[in-house]
Amino acid sequence: MNREQIFAALFQQLATIPGIATVSRRLRHWNDVPPDEQPALFLAQGDQIANSDHGMPTIWTMQADVYIYCHGGSDPDSVPSTDVNVLLDAVEDALKPDYTGYNTLGGLVYDARISGQVETDEGLLGQQSIAVVPIKITAVNE
């Protein structure tokens, strides 16, 4: 198991989403991403949990978060969450399982999928809308 290959493969699947102005593995706060650099997508690596029994391979559960930022621009009547909704659908599509029902990131892991609560702020009190999508990666270190 090679963690860097795993996270790089996950990032590559997400980086292919069309219509995103900024894509990076280095997380930036939305206040540091000007409107002309949005929509933006960032991948942040999270916790890693090992589960092993004596004599058995270690099963790793790794977390990652996908941050999506969309700015509504100068139109006060725009609804920034509409752009976030489109990108949430695109993230789900980019991580879609193959015919086996799993997304193996090209054979690197057992599975990588959206798992957990997707946090959103739809920009009702301003023009900035965000979403944070939790990704769960299951890998075996044999």
Side-chain angles (χ1 to χ4, degrees):
M1 181 179 86
N2 182 312
R3 285 170 178 78
E4 181 52 30
Q5 283 182 344
I6 291 168
F7 285 101
L10 175 61
F11 180 73
Q12 284 307 109
Q13 282 191 351
L14 297 168
T16 63
I17 296 172
I20 298 175
T22 302
V23 181
S24 178
R25 284 182 61 186
R26 187 173 181 104
L27 180 62
R28 291 165 44 194
H29 190 275
W30 58 84
N31 287 334
D32 297 328
V33 183
D36 64 331
E37 292 183 20
Q38 296 187 41
L41 183 146
F42 298 93
L43 177 65
Q45 192 170 320
D47 293 338
Q48 300 180 17
I49 300 169
N51 187 355
S52 61
D53 288 324
H54 183 69
M56 300 297 291
T58 302
I59 299 172
W60 285 92
T61 303
M62 298 179 276
Q63 289 295 132
D65 288 315
V66 176
Y67 288 77
I68 299 169
Y69 305 155
C70 292
H71 196 277
S74 59
D75 180 1
D77 293 326
S78 71
V79 182
S81 63
T82 58
D83 293 331
V84 166
N85 289 335
V86 169
L87 290 177
L88 285 172
D89 291 343
V91 167
E92 184 175 14
D93 191 49
L95 297 175
K96 185 172 35 180
D98 64 16
Y99 69 94
T100 65
Y102 298 93
N103 176 0
T104 65
L105 299 176
L108 295 173
V109 300
Y110 178 72
D111 194 27
R113 65 179 61 229
I114 297 171
S115 181
Q117 179 176 336
V118 176
E119 298 177 44
T120 62
D121 181 332
E122 64 177 319
L124 286 179
L125 299 178
Q127 293 298 89
Q128 185 66 60
S129 183
I130 66 167
V132 182
V133 181
I135 307 296
K136 176 182 171 184
I137 303 165
T138 305
V140 178
N141 191 8
E142 298 186 42

